[in-house]
Amino acid sequence: MFSSIRNAILSVYCIRDQFPRYMSDLLSEEEALGALFAVRFRYVIGFALLASAMANVSNIDTVWGYLVNFIAISIYFTNTFVHLHILKKKDSHWKTKYDYISLFIDNLLITMTILNWYWIKGDGNPNFLVKTPLLIFYLLPLSLCLFQYRFSLVVFSFVCFLVSYYSFIAAALHDPDAIISLDWTSYVLGDEIILLDALVSKPVIYLILAFAISYGIFRSLRMLLKFAASETQKTTLSRYFSPDLVSEIVSDPDVLGKGKRQKVTVLFSDIRGFTQFSELLDPEELSIFLTEFRKRMVRVIFQNKGSLDKFIGDAVMVTFGTPLPSEIPGEDSINAVNAAKAMLDELQLWNQERKEKGQVEIKIGIGIHSGEVFCGSIGSEERMEYTVIGDTVNTASRIESACKEIGSPLLISEVVWNELGNPNGWTKKENILLSGREQKINLYAY
């Protein structure tokens, strides 16, 4: 039991270790902003304390009482000013340290104020120290810790309270005039105390509040961590999947890790004569060219619900129906063909722009096939890759290679043509022997 409690506490206090470097830096910035807000808010508390002191002036009948009360408030405002000045400095090693110094001063001032009122109105009864309503002021420095995401400040402030409070109890018990009672009426309305209640009740309440503030900080940090992880995952997935698919994958992350056999439509695209073309460009120009080409192609692929499997040099491998196949029969093949046509249209627009700039025209070949594949994450623990493998993938690649021989920019297998509903406008190419295959197949050219 104690081990599980200890582990739970450690998991709360060590949550920062789970943050990547860039998030830790962002969190530090937020802590600095929180510290600034907390210090500025201290001025509001200070004026409230000043108003409270003014409202109780009639109860002070000694010069010493006036001095202690208003000197304490003056020290409070001075400490706030110094703290704010330190926090505004860009490079100050006192920033973090002074947070603790400021908390200590706040708790010390509250202790001084309680002692001052005891000397003024306590009539020598040390039970006044244990029962004074001024004990609630210890909640103020504790609550300010909520503006910063640091558990250590909460613990430090709570410990300061415990030291002061139990010192009051020790002083009361040490004094012979202290009256210990078990009568609740005398405890509430008289000058007696119920020792067990004094030892436990207030510290437990303050402990619960300290725990609530700590857990609130923990929840905020954990939500931040989950949000950042989700956004990072979305950013990574958006490079390979369309926005609609990204939302589905994020809602069920395990879908990418589940290896399974399923029906998928595969599209391969390749730039014609890229080897000779690339030799005319220097590395920087080639990088710019490929980046622009991929950006244009991926955009229309995503618009048609395709998933980018990989880039292989100038080639593009795209799947339709991954990780989740369409519930409508043939829709994945329809999306694949629509994407292919959109790629050709986009290439035509780009070629017009290139001609105006005096650049050479780009031609591509696209091959599409549909069938069963193995779909899932493949690789080692160091590097996993979500992909599809199987004869369907190899066939789609060889269909794309056949585009050059047949002289068509887009070829689809007979399987895909049937899933389209046997549309017109396609030219049938019968008995085509693909490279590396023994059986001939029928293809359809666009």
Side-chain angles (χ1 to χ4, degrees):
M1 176 181 175
F2 291 106
S3 177
S4 61
I5 294 175
R6 181 179 63 85
N7 292 334
I9 293 174
L10 285 176
S11 67
V12 170
Y13 278 84
C14 296
I15 188 173
R16 287 172 175 270
D17 297 338
Q18 302 176 32
F19 282 75
R21 177 64 181 273
Y22 79 95
M23 282 188 63
S24 296
D25 294 340
L26 290 175
L27 185 57
S28 297
E29 292 178 10
E30 288 302 315
E31 284 178 357
L33 291 175
L36 277 172
F37 182 82
V39 172
R40 292 190 175 107
F41 191 73
R42 283 167 55 86
Y43 282 110
V44 178
I45 295 175
F47 285 115
L49 293 176
L50 182 60
S52 175
M54 295 297 294
N56 287 283
V57 165
S58 59
N59 290 309
I60 303 175
D61 48 19
T62 65
V63 175
W64 174 255
Y66 283 106
L67 285 175
V68 173
N69 252 20
F70 290 99
I71 287 176
I73 291 176
S74 299
I75 293 174
Y76 175 87
F77 278 106
T78 303
N79 175 49
T80 302
F81 175 80
V82 172
H83 196 179
L84 184 60
H85 180 71
I86 291 174
L87 290 176
K88 284 184 176 180
K89 286 187 175 182
K90 290 185 178 180
D91 300 315
S92 176
H93 66 281
W94 280 100
K95 281 186 178 181
T96 303
K97 295 178 182 178
Y98 204 83
D99 289 333
Y100 297 96
I101 295 173
S102 183
L103 276 176
F104 176 76
I105 293 174
D106 287 347
N107 282 279
L108 182 61
L109 291 176
I110 295 170
T111 301
M112 287 175 55
T113 304
I114 291 174
L115 289 172
N116 181 47
W117 280 103
Y118 164 65
W119 291 322
I120 296 172
K121 295 294 182 182
D123 293 330
N125 188 339
N127 291 353
F128 177 92
L129 296 171
V130 182
K131 299 170 65 174
T132 176
L134 294 176
L135 289 171
I136 199 171
F137 282 8
Y138 284 108
L139 293 177
L140 294 177
L142 183 63
S143 63
L144 287 176
C145 299
L146 188 57
F147 295 114
Q148 296 170 263
Y149 301 107
R150 290 162 59 189
F151 302 109
S152 55
L153 292 177
V154 180
V155 174
F156 182 77
S157 183
F158 178 65
V159 170
C160 287
F161 158 73
L162 287 182
V163 171
S164 297
Y165 181 70
Y166 282 116
S167 296
F168 293 155
I169 292 180
L173 294 177
H174 185 264
D175 195 298
D177 295 331
I179 304 173
I180 307 299
S181 172
L182 293 176
D183 183 70
W184 190 260
T185 302
S186 299
Y187 177 49
V188 175
L189 301 178
D191 55 1
E192 303 173 5
I193 62 171
I194 298 177
L195 182 59
L196 186 61
D197 183 78
L199 287 171
V200 176
S201 295
K202 289 186 180 67
V204 166
I205 292 172
Y206 281 69
L207 176 63
I208 291 172
L209 180 59
F211 176 79
I213 292 174
S214 296
Y215 189 69
I217 294 173
F218 170 72
R219 288 275 296 172
S220 299
L221 293 177
R222 191 170 67 172
M223 288 176 64
L224 178 62
L225 187 62
K226 286 185 176 181
F227 178 77
S230 176
E231 288 302 304
T232 300
Q233 184 183 36
K234 284 183 179 180
T235 301
T236 302
L237 292 174
S238 64
R239 301 173 186 171
Y240 304 98
F241 300 99
S242 64
D244 293 338
L245 280 175
V246 168
S247 299
E248 292 185 35
I249 294 170
V250 171
S251 63
D252 183 16
D254 292 337
V255 71
L256 293 181
K258 298 174 182 176
K260 59 181 179 179
R261 301 191 68 85
Q262 68 180 60
K263 189 172 181 296
V264 169
T265 301
V266 183
L267 178 153
F268 268 92
S269 170
D270 188 53
I271 298 176
R272 293 287 166 257
F274 179 74
T275 302
Q276 294 80 5
F277 170 76
S278 61
E279 291 176 352
L280 303 175
L281 303 176
D282 63 42
E284 184 177 356
E285 291 176 329
L286 182 60
S287 175
I288 294 173
F289 167 80
L290 283 176
T291 299
E292 180 65 17
F293 172 75
R294 291 173 176 179
K295 183 178 70 174
R296 289 173 176 267
M297 295 300 104
V298 169
R299 182 173 65 246
V300 296
I301 287 168
F302 284 173
Q303 288 173 354
N304 289 278
K305 300 181 179 180
S307 299
L308 177 63
D309 189 283
K310 62 175 68 70
F311 289 114
I312 312 169
D314 61 306
V316 183
M317 176 181 169
V318 184
T319 57
F320 295 81
T322 56
L324 302 171
S326 172
E327 296 179 357
I328 303 175
E331 185 177 43
D332 292 329
S333 290
I334 293 172
N335 289 334
V337 172
N338 288 339
K341 292 178 179 180
M343 291 169 68
L344 294 173
D345 291 340
E346 182 65 29
L347 185 64
Q348 185 178 4
L349 292 175
W350 192 31
N351 279 328
Q352 291 176 0
E353 296 176 13
R354 292 179 61 83
K355 285 181 181 179
E356 293 174 359
K357 297 177 182 178
Q359 298 172 334
V360 298
E361 184 179 2
I362 303 300
K363 294 183 179 180
I364 63 173
I366 302 175
I368 304 175
H369 184 48
S370 183
E372 190 177 73
V373 299
F374 174 82
C375 179
S377 295
I378 300 172
S380 63
E381 292 182 359
E382 290 76 17
R383 175 169 171 77
M384 296 295 291
E385 178 185 31
Y386 182 82
T387 188
V388 298
I389 56 175
D391 184 64
T392 298
V393 178
N394 299 330
T395 302
S397 176
R398 288 172 170 80
I399 291 174
E400 181 274 317
S401 299
C403 288
K404 185 175 181 180
E405 300 173 7
I406 295 176
S408 173
L410 172 57
L411 289 174
I412 63 174
S413 66
E414 192 166 36
V415 174
V416 174
W417 185 73
N418 289 331
E419 290 187 348
L420 295 179
N422 310 124
N424 297 322
W426 294 82
T427 302
K428 186 176 183 180
K429 305 293 182 179
E430 295 185 286
N431 300 320
I432 302 298
L433 182 62
L434 299 177
S435 174
R437 303 188 68 87
E438 297 180 357
Q439 295 182 345
K440 296 180 179 181
I441 65 171
N442 296 329
L443 300 176
Y444 288 81
Y446 179 66

